[in-house]
């Protein structure tokens, strides 16, 4: 894309409250409000929710994109690379490339948060997992690791003396 193309105005996109792509993966409801198809690949934006006791993502590292979490309701237990912290409404976690992170709902009520991926593309990981599970595959750690690797993401082993 040239500098001229980047400045060329495009029509604004208004999405209604129900507009988006719902992808349910391993107990996490990912509601993608914007995907790379909407943003020219610049970013993807989702709202997600998970029930109490649900692991959203075990610790992992992205080498190809940054990920930002903003908690709306409930609490998320976030792995930050240095351990775990509990984050409630208004907390923001920036997991830039190379940063170990993960999340789960250890609280007693459902949690809801926003997530921004930049650049876009990681939404395809969730599509891949959803398609495989819908076809009968089990969402094992090995399967998830295989799909993550396709999107420049790898598992992160937490030292045994940390949560």
């Amino acid at each position: 894309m040239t500098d001229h193309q980047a400045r060329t105005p495009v029509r604004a996109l208004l999405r209604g409250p129900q507009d988006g792509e719902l992808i349910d993966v391993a107990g996490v409801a990912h509601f993608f409000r914007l995907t790379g198809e909407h943003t020219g690949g610049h970013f993807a934006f989702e709202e997600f929710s998970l029930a109490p006791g649900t692991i959203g993502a075990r610790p992992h590292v992205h080498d190809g994109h940054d990920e930002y979490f903003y908690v709306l309701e409930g609490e998320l237990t976030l792995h930050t690379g240095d351990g775990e912290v509990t984050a409630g409404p208004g907390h923001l976690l920036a997991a830039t490339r190379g940063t170990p992170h993960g999340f789960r709902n250890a609280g007693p009520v459902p949690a809801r948060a926003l997530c921004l991926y930049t650049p876009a593309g990681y939404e395809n990981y969730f599509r891949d997992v959803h398609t495989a599970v819908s076809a009968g595959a089990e969402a094992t750690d090995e399967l998830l690791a295989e799909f993550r690797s396709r999107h420049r993401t790898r598992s992160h082993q937490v030292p045994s003396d940390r949560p």
Side-chain angles (χ1 to χ4, degrees):
M1 179 183 313
T2 67
D3 286 342
H4 174 72
Q5 288 172 318
R7 290 191 306 262
T8 303
V10 295
R11 204 171 104 222
L13 174 63
L14 176 63
R15 307 279 285 173
Q18 300 304 314
D19 294 338
E21 179 183 357
L22 180 61
I23 304 173
D24 192 350
V25 174
V28 181
H30 299 270
F31 187 51
F32 281 93
R33 304 300 311 276
L34 296 170
T35 63
E37 291 85 1
H38 301 107
T39 67
H42 293 286
F43 68 92
F45 182 77
E46 73 162 302
E47 178 180 330
F48 69 89
S49 59
L50 59 163
T54 302
I55 296 173
R58 287 180 174 78
H60 60 280
V61 175
H62 301 294
D63 294 316
H65 69 276
D66 303 324
E67 194 170 28
Y68 302 88
F69 297 88
Y70 183 80
V71 181
L72 297 171
E73 296 175 357
E75 293 180 336
L76 290 178
T77 299
L78 300 168
H79 177 78
T80 64
D82 292 323
E84 290 186 333
V85 297
T86 300
H91 282 96
L92 173 72
L93 174 72
T96 56
R97 286 162 225 204
T99 305
H101 64 285
F103 67 97
R104 61 190 174 95
N105 182 353
V109 299
R112 192 167 63 94
L114 301 175
C115 190
L116 174 76
Y117 306 89
T118 179
Y122 201 61
E123 63 271 30
N124 292 317
Y125 163 78
F126 298 104
R127 289 171 175 152
D128 291 346
V129 173
H130 179 76
T131 299
V133 170
S134 294
E138 185 179 342
T140 62
D141 288 342
E142 294 77 19
L143 178 76
L144 299 179
E146 176 190 333
F147 285 127
R148 280 182 177 160
S149 70
R150 296 178 187 177
H151 299 280
R152 298 183 61 199
T153 298
R154 54 193 155 84
S155 297
H156 174 75
Q157 296 303 316
V158 177
S160 59
D161 62 336
R162 292 195 187 160

